[in-house]
Amino acid sequence: LETAITDTCTNLDRQFLEYCRTHSSYCGTTAVGALITELGRRLTVFNIGDSEAFLYRAGEVIELTSKHSPNHDDERARILAAHGWITEEKELYFGRLHRMDLEDQYILQRAEALDFTCIYRVCGEIAVSRSIGDIPYKGYTPGKVVNEPFVWPHDHNQIFSADLVIPNPDFVALNLTDQDEFMILASDGLWDVVSSQDACIRFRQLLDQGESPEKIAEELSDLAIRLGSSDNVTIVIVQFLHD
């Protein structure tokens, strides 16, 4: 299963990069997905980039994915080995404050807790180390000078030995139990401003009030936007129903 998913992701990346070359497009995306097999007993989750998934089991939040950040040891080592570099930025999200719905008391309390955050970027640009697309970081020929307009370090020869950003997914597999209630899969537009714990608690509360999973996904999306999220907010919620 993992081989099939990996092959699908890498083939999709190859096809999308060809589309980007043809249409002079420079976009890309992260991904998260889940497959349930063995007659509903086995859950396999994969992710590329900073989209994430969490499982709510017996009142506890279980992390099913790990963000592909340039600052992670394995990702950093791979990027540096390809002759890339990683920059660190410390930011306070003033722009997010302007987008927040400060008339809401809950959101006002969250705004008061905002602090500086560190952002790590590949070659000073992209903040994830794995993705589908993002042509400026892929397709390099070892030994050939790169003409992309990066802000090159003064001692860099403008040659990469491998792709800096890759489309390979990571996996988590586990057996589902009768204590598993639901799973939330979402892009970073949600997780940048709402913690997994808060999202799961809010889902549980709204479900007890009679809301449907679809409606709760809309509520969480609206909450992320009112909290000042500036990224796309895509949410899928899977509720497990047990006999």
Side-chain angles (χ1 to χ4, degrees):
L1 182 60
E2 292 185 5
T3 299
I5 294 172
T6 300
D7 287 348
T8 299
C9 292
T10 54
N11 286 334
L12 176 61
D13 181 62
R14 176 181 52 79
Q15 294 175 34
F16 187 65
L17 289 173
E18 184 58 36
Y19 174 90
C20 290
R21 294 186 187 98
T22 303
H23 295 79
S24 297
S25 177
Y26 294 90
C27 57
T29 184
T30 63
V32 62
L35 289 88
I36 298 175
T37 57
E38 299 180 16
L39 301 177
R41 295 191 297 270
R42 188 72 171 169
L43 174 67
T44 301
V45 176
F46 68 93
N47 74 296
I48 303 169
D50 54 11
S51 292
E52 296 184 273
F54 296 90
L55 176 69
Y56 193 72
R57 171 183 286 176
E60 294 187 3
V61 179
I62 298 176
E63 183 178 4
L64 298 176
T65 52
S66 179
K67 291 182 178 181
H68 291 126
S69 167
N71 190 48
H72 290 180
D73 290 344
D74 54 345
E75 300 293 283
R76 175 182 287 272
R78 177 181 59 76
I79 293 166
L80 296 180
H83 301 157
W85 65 93
I86 298 168
T87 61
E88 177 182 346
E89 302 171 5
K90 193 172 185 180
E91 295 184 0
L92 181 61
Y93 290 142
F94 284 111
R96 180 182 164 192
L97 285 171
H98 291 297
R99 292 188 299 270
M100 297 178 80
D101 180 9
L102 298 180
E103 294 184 1
D104 185 306
Q105 189 62 35
Y106 169 77
I107 294 175
L108 179 61
Q109 292 174 354
R110 294 289 301 274
E112 293 172 346
L114 283 180
D115 200 353
F116 284 94
T117 184
C118 286
I119 301 174
Y120 301 91
R121 300 185 185 275
V122 180
C123 299
E125 296 289 340
I126 190 170
V128 293
S129 53
R130 302 194 191 191
S131 73
I132 301 293
D134 291 312
I135 196 170
Y137 309 93
K138 299 177 179 178
Y140 300 119
T141 302
K144 184 178 179 180
V145 174
V146 177
N147 293 318
E148 291 291 340
F150 294 120
V151 180
W152 297 92
H154 71 278
D155 57 348
H156 202 287
N157 61 4
Q158 293 190 217
I159 293 175
F160 297 128
S161 61
D163 289 353
L164 305 177
V165 176
I166 60 176
N168 304 60
D170 276 337
F171 295 89
V172 169
L174 50 79
N175 293 324
L176 291 170
T177 73
D178 291 342
Q179 293 182 311
D180 296 323
E181 296 187 43
F182 58 87
M183 174 174 56
I184 302 178
L185 305 93
S187 63
D188 64 322
L190 175 67
W191 306 123
D192 284 347
V193 296
V194 179
S195 71
S196 58
Q197 185 74 25
D198 287 347
C200 288
I201 290 175
R202 185 170 287 260
F203 178 90
R204 179 73 266 172
Q205 291 173 339
L206 292 174
L207 192 67
D208 289 342
Q209 295 172 16
E211 298 283 9
S212 67
E214 293 85 358
K215 181 63 176 178
I216 298 172
E218 293 180 6
E219 294 274 354
L220 286 174
S221 178
D222 179 68
L223 174 63
I225 293 170
R226 291 190 296 113
L227 280 167
S229 179
S230 60
D231 214 330
N232 68 81
V233 183
T234 304
I235 303 171
V236 174
I237 300 177
V238 180
Q239 183 182 10
F240 297 107
L241 303 177
H242 304 285
D243 294 332

